[in-house]
């Protein structure tokens, strides 16, 4: 292919590449070398039909294959492809006919790749150069006309039309110049003897050789040819073969012999001594190979890398002692060995990844590259650990890192992913890449209480603000999603808002009392505690807290009978026929406390006759200890103490007034009472009424007892009956039981008093009939004469008389 045809083909390819896309998605651009940074190559967005506004969103970028340098860049605003680094075609491609830089346009979301072929066109920026400033030739005078003398060729780093196109020789009387082309199309000059030399006439001839390229403007280089005319040396060295081809493995050790060339010269003596040297070799190749000038051995003197250069072409010159030369070509083909491990590059990584990401979610883009070729460059990659991620092949050497299962930050918050790539060479080489991937939290866990129900016991009369208990709820979520706040659920306790009873610390969950509790009002209550996190939307859960109020002995016993109302006394009448052990009265008391605090005991602390009456410790029944005799005093008073079982115990006292008489007529004090003018008529009526009622009641009782005695003929004590206490003295929520009077909530078995179990007749109505309220009638009498003043040593405005027949 001549220079003109080659240049035309390059320009045609460059023009077509700007407007035509290949079938597989490649885009070709051509432009001259040495363009300034920022120069526009073309509008890739328009050429590919891409939306310019999507370039930035999809993270469009240019990646250069097999090179760390990125020579071009993309303007994300306009879509223009611009020069990013100086591009020297000679440095990139050397003497290659076509200098193509391969790039890739990569876009994400979704992953898309377009291959770009950048054809760097040569400009005439290099002048032809000769290896030496002076070419020295020794030509025998017997050289025949037409003898050719090959000259060192000039070199031009440019290619095509910009490379060397012709040589010119300054006019002289002996030599002409012809231009030849070698097998690779390179031109070189040969000096042709046009007129025989005569050493005796001219021993030295100086010629000027000019090499010119075909660029615009044209560049040229010159060299001086110094010819020494010698005696006849009519034989030049001859190589055993004109072309040497060898295969050399890359990474060959230094000093390794590549090949040994050989040339012979038929002349004798100095004219037949052959030496070797490289012809027209670059400095770069001189660093890699050396040639022994005597033996012709080519050795390795520098690193041989298949990935850098796969073929070397060297020209070897053989020269005899008289200066005759010949040339042979050495082609060294570098064979690949598996000396490059795969390179893993993380192009993008979306970290952190939300834990609600579905399986198959793309979280990163990974590339695998191996500079070796063939099987040595084929790569297999995988994720080492047992993690919910895998690599999915995408485009060319791109892989997508995707999830394979649902993620849970509360189980695993960070993943250390190791990606391993192994090639198929022998032995195989591998490399690994560690990726740190964090999981982002979402609010997917509600707070959880340690227990669903809590209980707290607090003694009544507690202090305001005292701590009752604490609740704990945990949330495995992160930061605000796991920050728990506590609150009371709206509700009521005994018709009042729950917030008026307790409060809760929103941060710690400690529950405090905001009031003092009273066991006698309520014994327990239940509230609902809410635990809420700070996520969006917030999640919550609840737990039940039951507060039990423990009773405290804060209530003294309350004596219901006899009544302790001010200015009022209860007087019981005891028949003279009462036997020992007969119930003559009963003290009724209750305690608002509960449990042991409400167990009451009765004790006589003072009595006018200590040996006559006794009281049941737990029942409060007052009985006679012996039969009543005629010598016993008619009036008796007992001071009874009622004590509860609390710690410390509380007590209450009352005074019982007992009158031993069968009727009021036997009371001598009543006979001698003098009435004042205002109360005489009232007192008369009262006495008549009392006597009548007592007589009637006593007669009725005697008849009943007589009938009962005759029927059964049983010597049952006449007065072993129960003393009935009016029901009005017992609160509606209390009941009488053996051993005391308890709150109905703690009453398990209720039964009558001791004497009622052996008698069919109960003295229930007799109390109402026989006990007369004397307060409205005897008020004046007492004020005049204080009939019962000696019973208790107290003056009273009124008293009540209970009559027992």
């Amino acid at each position: 292919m001549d220079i003109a045809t080659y240049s035309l083909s390059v320009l045609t390819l460059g023009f077509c590449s700007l407007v035509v896309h290949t079938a597989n998605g490649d885009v070709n651009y051509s432009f001259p070398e040495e363009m300034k940074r920022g120069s526009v190559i073309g509008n890739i967005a328009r050429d590919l039909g891409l939306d310019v506004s999507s370039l930035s969103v999809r993270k469009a970028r240019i990646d250069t294959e097999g090179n760390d340098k990125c020579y071009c860049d993309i303007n994300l605003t306009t879509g223009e492809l611009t020069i990013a680094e100086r591009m020297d075609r000679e440095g990139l491609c050397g003497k290659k006919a076509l200098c193509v830089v391969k790039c890739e346009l990569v876009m994400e979301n979704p992953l898309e790749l377009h291959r770009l072929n950048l054809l760097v066109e040569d400009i005439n920026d290099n002048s032809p150069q000769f290896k030496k400033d002076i070419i020295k030739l020794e030509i025998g005078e017997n050289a025949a006309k037409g003898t050719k003398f090959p000259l060192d060729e000039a070199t031009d780093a440019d290619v095509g039309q910009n490379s060397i196109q012709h040589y010119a020789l300054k006019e002289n009387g002996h030599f002409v110049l012809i231009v030849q082309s070698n097998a690779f199309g390179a031109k070189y000059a040969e000096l042709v003897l046009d007129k025989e030399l005569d050493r005796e006439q001219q021993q030295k001839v100086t010629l000027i050789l000019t090499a010119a390229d075909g660029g615009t403007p044209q560049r040229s280089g010159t060299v001086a040819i110094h010819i020494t005319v010698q005696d006849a040396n009519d034989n030049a060295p001859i190589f055993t073969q004109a072309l040497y081809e060898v295969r050399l493995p890359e990474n060959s050790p230094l000093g390794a012999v590549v090949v040994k060339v050989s040339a012979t010269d038929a002349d004798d003596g100095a004219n037949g001594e052959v030496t070797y040297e490289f012809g027209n070799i670059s400095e770069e190749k001189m660093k890699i190979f050396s040639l022994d000038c005597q033996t012709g051995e080519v050795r390795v003197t520098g690193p041989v890398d298949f990935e850098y250069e796969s073929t070397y072409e060297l020209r070897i010159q053989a020269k005899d002692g008289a200066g005759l030369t010949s040339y042979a070509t050495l082609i060294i083909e570098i064979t690949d060995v598996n000396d490059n491990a795969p390179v893993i590059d993380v192009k993008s990584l979306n970290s952190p990844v939300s834990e609600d990401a579905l399986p198959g979610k793309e979280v990163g883009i990974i590339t695998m590259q191996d500079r070796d070729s063939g099987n040595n460059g084929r790569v297999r990659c995988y994720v080492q650990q047992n993690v919910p991620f895998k690599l999915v092949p995408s485009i060319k050497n791109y892989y997508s890192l995707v999830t394979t299962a649902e993620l849970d930050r509360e189980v695993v918050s960070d993943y250390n992913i190791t990606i391993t790539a192994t090639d198929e060479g022998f032995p195989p080489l591998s490399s690994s890449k560690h990726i740190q991937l964090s999981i982002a939290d979402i609010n997917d866990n509600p707070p959880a209480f340690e227990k669903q129900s809590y209980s707290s016991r607090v003694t009544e009369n507690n202090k305001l603000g005292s701590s009752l208990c604490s609740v704990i709820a945990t949330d495995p979520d992160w930061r605000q999603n796991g920050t728990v706040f506590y609150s009371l659920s709206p509700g009521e306790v005994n018709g009042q808002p729950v917030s008026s009873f307790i409060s809760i610390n929103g941060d710690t969950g400690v529950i405090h009392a905001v009031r003092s509790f009273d066991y006698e009002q309520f014994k327990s209550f239940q509230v609902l505690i809410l635990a809420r996190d700070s996520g969006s939307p917030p999640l919550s859960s609840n737990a039940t807290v039951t507060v039990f109020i423990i009773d405290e002995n804060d209530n003294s016993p309350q004596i219901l009978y006899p009544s302790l109302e001010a200015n009022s006394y209860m007087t019981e009448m005891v028949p003279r026929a009462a036997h020992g052990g007969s119930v003559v009265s009963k003290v009724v008391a209750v305690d608002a406390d509960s449990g042991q605090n409400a167990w009451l005991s009765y004790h006589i602390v003072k009595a006018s006759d200590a040996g006559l009456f006794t009281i049941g410790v737990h029942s409060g029944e007052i009985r006679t200890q012996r039969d009543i005799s005629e010598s016993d005093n008619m009036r008796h008073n007992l001071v009874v103490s009622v004590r509860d079982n609390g710690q410390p115990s509380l007590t209450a006292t009352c005074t019982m007034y007992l009158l031993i008489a069968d009727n009021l007529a036997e009371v001598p004090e009543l006979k001698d009472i003098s009435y004042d003018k205002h109360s005489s008529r009232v007192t008369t009526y009262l006495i008549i009424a009392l006597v009548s009622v007592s007589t009637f009641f006593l007669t009725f009782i005697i008849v009943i007892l007589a009938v009962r005695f005759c029927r059964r003929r049983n010597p049952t004590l006449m007065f072993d009956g129960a003393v009935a206490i009016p029901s009005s003295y017992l609160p509606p929520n209390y009941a009488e039981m053996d051993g005391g009077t308890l709150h109905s909530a703690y009453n398990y078995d209720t039964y009558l008093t001791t004497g009622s179990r052996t008698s069919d007749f109960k003295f229930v109505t007799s109390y109402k009939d026989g006990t007369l309220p004397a307060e409205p009638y005897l008020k004046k009498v007492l004020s005049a004469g204080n009939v019962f003043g000696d019973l208790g040593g107290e003056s009273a405005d009124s008293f009540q008389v209970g009559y027992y027949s």
Side-chain angles (χ1 to χ4, degrees), residues 25 99 156 180 240 285 356 370 372 375 433 495 506 543 585 588 612 642-643 653 673 709 719 744 755:
C99 184
D156 193 333
Q180 301 287 346
T240 56
K285 293 178 182 178
D356 61 350
D370 195 318
D372 296 323
N375 290 337
K433 185 80 171 182
S585 185
V588 179
L612 182 58
V642 183
R643 183 182 305 127
T653 59
I673 294 176
F709 178 80
F719 300 102
S744 59

Side-chain angles (χ1 to χ4, degrees), residues 5 79 303 388 435 491 534 602 659 697 754:
T5 304
I435 298 176
S534 300
Y602 301 85
L659 184 64
F697 182 79
T754 304

Side-chain angles (χ1 to χ4, degrees), residues 36-55:
K36 294 182 178 180
R37 292 184 181 179
S39 300
V40 177
I41 299 174
N43 193 308
I44 192 171
R46 181 179 64 248
D47 296 339
L48 291 176
L50 301 175
D51 185 7
V52 176
S53 60
S54 67
L55 296 179

Side-chain angles (χ1 to χ4, degrees), residues 549-782:
I549 301 171
I550 301 174
D551 182 47
E552 188 180 54
N553 192 27
D554 59 342
N555 291 282
S556 300
Q558 180 182 357
I559 299 176
L560 303 179
Y561 185 85
S563 175
L564 298 180
E565 295 179 1
N567 302 326
S568 176
Y569 298 93
M570 291 297 297
T571 301
E572 301 285 356
M573 296 187 64
V574 181
R576 293 183 179 275
H579 299 287
S582 298
V583 178
V584 297
S585 185
K586 182 176 183 179
V587 176
V588 179
V590 295
D591 196 314
D593 296 320
S594 64
Q596 293 187 354
N597 295 330
W599 288 104
L600 304 180
S601 59
Y602 301 85
H603 309 275
I604 296 177
V605 297
K606 182 179 180 182
S608 57
D609 189 344
L612 182 58
F613 298 101
T614 185
I615 189 168
V617 175
H618 299 297
S619 64
E621 294 178 341
I622 299 176
R623 296 175 180 268
T624 57
Q625 297 189 64
R626 56 178 174 79
D627 294 342
I628 296 176
S629 62
E630 294 295 335
S631 62
D632 291 327
N633 292 331
M634 179 181 297
R635 298 181 301 273
H636 295 273
N637 66 319
L638 305 176
V639 178
V640 178
S641 171
V642 183
R643 183 182 305 127
D644 60 27
N645 199 35
Q647 293 296 330
S649 61
L650 302 177
T651 60
T653 59
C654 65
T655 303
M656 293 290 298
Y657 297 96
L658 301 178
L659 184 64
I660 300 177
D662 291 330
N663 53 63
L664 294 179
E666 297 179 4
V667 181
E669 287 82 355
L670 295 179
K671 299 178 182 179
D672 301 332
I673 294 176
S674 59
Y675 306 102
D676 56 15
K677 298 179 180 181
H678 299 285
S679 60
S680 60
R681 183 179 296 275
V682 177
T683 302
T684 301
Y685 291 152
L686 178 59
I687 293 174
I688 295 174
L690 289 174
V691 171
S692 300
V693 172
S694 299
T695 303
F696 176 77
F697 182 79
L698 182 60
T699 304
F700 179 76
I701 293 301
I702 292 173
V703 172
I704 293 299
L705 293 177
V707 172
R708 181 170 177 267
F709 178 80
C710 293
R711 179 179 301 174
R712 299 184 62 180
R713 294 182 181 181
N714 188 2
T716 304
L717 290 178
M718 185 175 182
F719 300 102
D720 189 17
V723 177
I725 304 303
S727 61
S728 60
Y729 285 98
L730 294 175
N733 58 341
Y734 286 83
E736 181 181 0
M737 65 177 291
D738 190 13
T741 304
L742 290 179
H743 195 284
S744 59
Y746 298 92
N747 183 28
Y748 300 100
D749 186 15
T750 303
Y751 48 84
L752 298 176
T753 56
T754 304
S756 63
R757 296 183 180 180
T758 59
S759 176
D760 293 334
F761 182 80
K762 306 297 186 295
F763 294 94
V764 176
T765 58
S766 64
Y767 182 87
K768 295 180 181 180
D769 294 338
T771 301
L772 299 180
E775 182 176 351
Y777 303 102
L778 300 182
K779 189 173 183 179
K780 294 295 183 179
V781 176
L782 292 178

Side-chain angles (χ1 to χ4, degrees), residues 16 21 33 35 173 192 358 387 447 453 485 505 587 604 645 715 798:
C16 295
H21 301 276
E33 62 174 327
M35 293 181 68
V192 180
L358 298 177
V387 294
S453 61
F485 297 97
N505 188 309
V587 176
I604 296 177
N645 199 35
S798 62

